[in-house]
Amino acid sequence: MSEAILLVVSCALLGSFVGFLAGLLGIGGGLVIVPVLSGILRYFNIVPESQIVLVAIATSLASILFTSTSSALAHHRNKNVPWHIAPYVMGGVAFGALISGFLAALLPEPVIRSIFAVSVVLIAIKMLYSSSKKSVTQRALPSGPVLGALTSVMGGLSAMIGIGGGALIVPLLSFFSMDMRKAIGCASACGIVIALFGSLGYITAGSAHYTFSQGFAGFIYLPALFGIVLTSWFMAPLGAKSTQFLPVSTIKKIFAALLLVIAINMIIS
């Protein structure tokens, strides 16, 4: 088996796992893709060591555009996307993603990572606690503009550390008593926005370094993108379908466990 085929197969295996998670939990999957794809790029010696993580993040964002679209369409068919609030949430996330570069310049990255890690741990604990309770206090969703402001903070923080917004948006909407399945559906739609803006930035920034004839669109490595999307597009609907059968408490526990893994990864890295 040639190295090119082996690389695509490796990325396809990665995509199948990430696609299922995207549909099940409403996350883009960047936290899984970036470290694994970095290892794949390093093994095949695709780019210089100094640009491995950069290319992995760019390729991850591009794949999230497809995966989140597939996931959002599946959740829409299952009537799990609350379109009456989605424009406010997506608009807030888009604004936050756009200004994240300015915000990141104000704080050292270790500080941002520490704040995020602590926040994620607290969210995970809260979600584990609520998953074991029979009744939960009902909280009304804030008005559209207020919700947009809240999600802009989530989008900005997520973009600063290179992840999709689902890890923060789902717990936020769940806090306001939104059904877990609809919160996941809304987060899937938001992933499209974050991935679109992020991908355009990496294509523009990387166009001076790599060319299409080298297998790149900016910093996005196209063979890896093809392998990931090849399977993630089809696995995302399966994950979304699973939310129809799994109890909400189980989904919350899975999500909380993933958040803890995310926090540990942030602290270690």
Side-chain angles (χ1 to χ4, degrees):
M1 184 181 295
S2 69
E3 285 196 351
I5 295 177
L6 184 58
L7 183 145
V8 172
V9 170
S10 300
C11 291
L13 291 173
L14 171 61
S16 63
F17 176 67
V18 169
F20 186 82
L21 279 182
L24 179 66
L25 302 177
I27 63 172
L31 286 160
V32 177
I33 295 175
V34 172
V36 176
L37 184 56
S38 294
I40 293 173
L41 293 173
R42 183 175 291 108
Y43 178 81
F44 288 101
N45 196 27
I46 302 298
V47 293
E49 183 71 27
S50 61
Q51 293 184 332
I52 284 178
V53 175
L54 186 63
V55 171
I57 291 174
T59 306
S60 171
L61 279 173
S63 71
I64 288 171
L65 180 60
F66 294 91
T67 305
S68 292
T69 299
S70 177
S71 175
L73 287 172
H75 280 291
H76 172 69
R77 287 192 294 269
N78 292 328
K79 299 181 179 180
N80 282 339
V81 181
W83 290 113
H84 64 291
I85 66 162
Y88 295 104
V89 178
M90 295 172 75
V93 165
F95 178 75
L98 282 174
I99 66 171
S100 63
F102 299 100
L103 296 176
L106 300 177
L107 292 173
E109 186 186 14
V111 174
I112 297 172
R113 284 180 175 271
S114 297
I115 293 172
F116 183 82
V118 172
S119 301
V120 166
V121 169
L122 293 176
I123 290 170
I125 293 173
K126 174 66 171 62
M127 191 159 283
L128 281 171
Y129 174 70
S130 64
S131 69
S132 63
K133 294 177 66 177
K134 295 294 183 181
S135 59
V136 181
T137 303
Q138 293 297 308
R139 302 181 183 88
L141 276 169
S143 62
V146 173
L147 189 60
L150 290 173
T151 54
S152 68
V153 175
M154 303 298 181
L157 181 58
S158 298
M160 272 192 283
I161 55 178
I163 69 169
L168 295 177
I169 292 172
V170 172
L172 173 69
L173 296 178
S174 297
F175 175 79
F176 288 113
S177 304
M178 176 173 285
D179 178 78
M180 187 71 175
R181 296 178 180 89
K182 293 189 181 300
I184 290 172
C186 189
S188 295
C190 289
I192 300 172
V193 177
I194 293 176
L196 178 60
F197 280 94
S199 296
L200 289 175
Y202 279 109
I203 290 173
T204 303
S207 59
H209 298 268
Y210 298 101
T211 64
F212 186 78
S213 61
Q214 294 175 294
F216 287 84
F219 282 121
I220 299 170
Y221 187 50
L222 298 177
L225 174 63
F226 172 75
I228 294 170
V229 174
L230 186 65
T231 52
S232 65
W233 177 270
F234 299 103
M235 290 300 293
L238 294 179
K241 190 174 182 180
S242 297
T243 64
Q244 301 297 108
F245 304 101
L246 287 174
V248 171
S249 61
T250 301
I251 298 175
K252 283 188 174 183
K253 289 174 182 175
I254 295 173
F255 200 99
L258 181 65
L259 290 180
L260 289 174
V261 171
I262 290 171
I264 293 170
N265 179 64
M266 286 290 173
I267 294 170
I268 293 175
S269 62

